[in-house]
Amino acid sequence: VYKRQYQRRVHGEGQVPFTFMLAAVSTARAALRIGWTTTANKEDAMKLARGSVDRGIAACVQVSSPITSVYKWEGKVCTDEEFRLTFKYPSEKETEMQSLLESIHPYTQPQWIAVDAAEVAAGYLKWARESCGLAP
């Protein structure tokens, strides 16, 4: 549980200092992972997102608007529009997540980068674990 106090100046007609408190939030460590991949179109992105949530692998997947990716493929620099997916899932689901990506991702070599979340709100973690069929 933590509390922080911030002070910031608002610019406008005169500078008015104000303070706000971040509410106390219980957090838990490293039981949730965040993973990223990209697809060439929204349909493929939604197939991966829904597939992972429907199967109880991910609690939530965010599909971002098109981004521009620059990368080297087969010796050539490529620039493409892609959709980024951000998966939030319990660490116990990592093997299932990778299997899902290997089986339905349309790319020959999809990007998959995943990290442990350093801090997770206890309520969110409980919800995420329950959404994936795990005990809180």
Side-chain angles (χ1 to χ4, degrees), residues 25-37:
V25 178
S26 293
T27 59
R29 290 195 173 269
L32 195 71
R33 292 184 58 82
I34 303 167
W36 296 272
T37 194

Side-chain angles (χ1 to χ4, degrees), residues 31-88:
L32 195 71
R33 292 184 58 82
I34 303 167
W36 296 272
T37 194
T38 56
T39 62
N41 58 60
K42 189 170 185 177
E43 292 74 29
D44 288 339
M46 293 305 296
K47 182 178 177 183
L48 283 166
R50 289 190 180 277
S52 65
V53 173
D54 285 345
R55 289 171 176 83
I57 299 169
C60 174
V61 182
Q62 295 167 318
V63 178
S64 299
S65 294
I67 59 170
T68 302
S69 294
V70 179
Y71 57 97
K72 193 175 272 190
W73 183 251
E74 297 177 346
K76 182 178 157 190
V77 175
C78 303
T79 303
D80 286 307
E81 186 175 86
E82 295 184 294
F83 286 79
R84 180 187 300 131
L85 291 88
T86 304
F87 297 81
K88 275 87 51 130

Side-chain angles (χ1 to χ4, degrees), residues 7-12 14-18:
Q7 207 169 62
R8 189 172 102 183
R9 293 203 173 268
V10 176
H11 301 286
Q15 292 188 344
V16 181
F18 71 94

